[in-house]
Amino acid sequence: MIRLIGDREAMTGHLIEVIIAPSQRDVRFIICGGWAVVMQGVRRMTMDLDLSVDMDPDNLRRFLDALKELNLTPGAPIPAESLLDEKLRQYIVREKNAAVFSFIDSDNPYRQVDVMLTDEGSYDRLILESDVVRIGGYPVRIVSKKGLIHMKEQLRHPREKDLQDIRELRKLSSSDNG
C-alpha cells in the first residue's frame, strides 16, 4: 500500500529535496529515526534525516552523487567514499563507536543526513519492516510503526524521547487495528 505525504505534513523544503535527490537516481534507502516516527503520525520535533541505505556499491555511489549535488559533505574529516569500503565501515562502528555517518551542509545546519552503519539499522533488516509512501511523486520507504517500536526497544540506552515514541507508536498501532 502506498500512502501520500502531502503539503499538510510537517515536511520542510530541504527535507523533501534531500529525499527526492536520491529517489531520482533510483537509490534504495529507507527513512528511519525521528522523521519516520513523524511520518507514521507521531507529533514531535526532529532535525536530522536518518537513512538506511542499501550498501551495494553501485547504489551507494548513486547516493553519494546525490548528496554531493546537494552540497552535503561528511561531518567528520573522512571522505564520503569511505562508505564504499565495508571493512572501513566496520572499523568506524567498532573503533569509533559510530552508529551513523553524518553528512552536513555547512551553510544550512538544518540539512543533516545520518546514514545508518550498524546491523540494527541495515537496509536488509529494515526492508522487512517498511512501508511505502509517496513524496514528491516518488515512492519512498519508511520504517513501519512496528519496525520503529522494535528499533527503539533494542536501544541500549533509550532516551526519554525514544520511550515516548514507543508509547505513541503503540497507541497509533492499536487505533489502526481497532
Side-chain angles (χ1 to χ4, degrees):
M1 176 175 77
I2 297 179
R3 289 184 295 132
L4 296 176
I5 302 293
D7 292 337
R8 60 196 167 101
E9 296 294 331
M11 297 185 72
T12 60
H14 70 271
L15 176 66
I16 292 173
E17 180 183 56
V18 171
I19 292 169
I20 289 176
S23 297
Q24 290 173 327
R25 290 172 171 78
D26 295 319
V27 173
R28 293 178 305 279
F29 68 93
I30 303 167
I31 299 172
C32 49
W35 275 108
V37 171
V38 169
M39 293 168 74
Q40 289 291 1
V42 175
R43 292 182 177 267
R44 64 115 130 158
M45 292 292 298
T46 189
M47 298 295 286
D48 62 341
L49 177 64
D50 299 308
L51 298 178
S52 177
V53 180
D54 183 344
M55 294 295 180
D56 169 78
D58 290 334
N59 189 66
L60 202 46
R61 281 185 194 90
R62 292 191 308 273
F63 177 73
L64 295 175
D65 287 345
L67 293 187
K68 184 182 266 187
E69 181 180 288
L70 294 170
N71 199 33
L72 290 163
T73 59
I78 302 171
E81 292 74 21
S82 300
L83 285 176
L84 292 165
D85 183 334
E86 183 177 351
K87 289 185 181 185
L88 186 51
R89 286 194 313 264
Q90 291 171 355
Y91 172 82
I92 291 169
V93 170
R94 186 179 61 251
E95 299 298 325
K96 303 297 181 186
N97 289 323
V100 299
F101 191 101
S102 296
F103 290 86
I104 59 170
D105 180 342
S106 58
D107 295 329
N108 182 350
Y110 293 107
R111 285 177 43 155
Q112 178 176 334
V113 175
D114 289 341
V115 176
M116 307 301 284
L117 295 176
T118 62
D119 291 339
E120 296 83 11
S122 75
Y123 180 87
D124 290 336
R125 189 184 90 60
L126 295 180
I127 190 78
L128 302 173
E129 297 181 309
S130 66
D131 296 329
V132 177
V133 297
R134 208 165 259 294
I135 299 173
Y138 293 91
V140 176
R141 290 198 167 274
I142 64 171
V143 178
S144 67
K145 292 178 189 91
K146 180 181 173 184
L148 287 164
I149 292 167
H150 182 253
M151 283 179 75
K152 289 182 175 284
E153 286 177 336
Q154 299 304 311
L155 293 172
R156 286 183 212 142
H157 305 289
R159 301 162 293 184
E160 179 53 37
K161 71 178 177 179
D162 297 312
L163 300 173
Q164 182 64 28
D165 287 346
I166 291 170
R167 289 189 292 272
E168 294 299 321
L169 288 163
R170 282 191 175 137
K171 281 184 207 172
L172 289 168
S173 291
S174 67
S175 69
D176 289 347
N177 297 328

